[in-house]
């Protein structure tokens, strides 16, 4: 369901419980204040549509996927810097973006139905 996409994407991106069926975490050197962190640096969300998909549905799904990254970055900024991502300075925002790199791949639409 459309209403589930954002939370499922957030779980996939962050893998907070270290599930073996979600992207593996790797030790990565990030900018201050994060330093070395275990993050899912190799995750990719592949977004494939049917050629019959209407634009409204396409944009709603796309919005949910990008919204997942935005929410994770906002949660990280609040936890780390004590303020929302939008209120962080450029360096703080960059650090949050590197922590949760946006990895969305939009594949060529497929023809599933008639």
């Amino acid at each position: 369901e459309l209403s589930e996409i954002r939370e499922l994407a957030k779980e996939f991106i962050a893998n907070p419980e270290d599930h073996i069926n979600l992207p593996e975490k790797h030790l990565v050197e990030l900018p201050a204040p994060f330093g070395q962190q275990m993050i899912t640096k190799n995750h990719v969300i592949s977004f494939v549509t049917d050629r019959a998909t209407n634009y409204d549905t396409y944009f709603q799904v796309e919005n949910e996927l990008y919204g997942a990254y935005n929410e994770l970055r906002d949660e990280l900024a609040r936890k780390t810097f004590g303020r929302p991502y939008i209120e962080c300075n450029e360096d703080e925002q960059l650090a949050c973006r590197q922590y949760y790199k946006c990895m969305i791949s939009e594949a060529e639409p497929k023809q599933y139905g008639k």
Side-chain angles (χ1 to χ4, degrees), residues 11-74:
E11 182 179 358
F12 181 81
I13 296 161
N15 190 7
E17 304 295 324
D18 291 328
H19 290 290
I20 60 170
N21 60 336
L22 293 177
E24 183 179 1
K25 289 185 174 181
H26 298 272
L27 187 62
V28 175
E29 184 68 37
L30 295 169
F34 300 115
Q36 290 190 336
Q37 295 287 320
M38 293 292 290
I39 62 170
T40 60
K41 72 173 191 161
N42 295 327
H43 74 274
V44 175
I45 297 174
S46 182
F47 183 24
V48 183
T49 60
D50 185 297
R51 291 193 187 280
T53 302
N54 68 49
Y55 284 115
D56 184 52
T57 302
Y58 169 84
F59 287 120
Q60 286 180 33
V61 171
E62 184 181 58
N63 185 56
E64 292 303 308
L65 293 175
Y66 284 104
Y69 282 100
N70 291 336
E71 282 186 13
L72 285 169
R73 291 171 181 164
D74 191 65

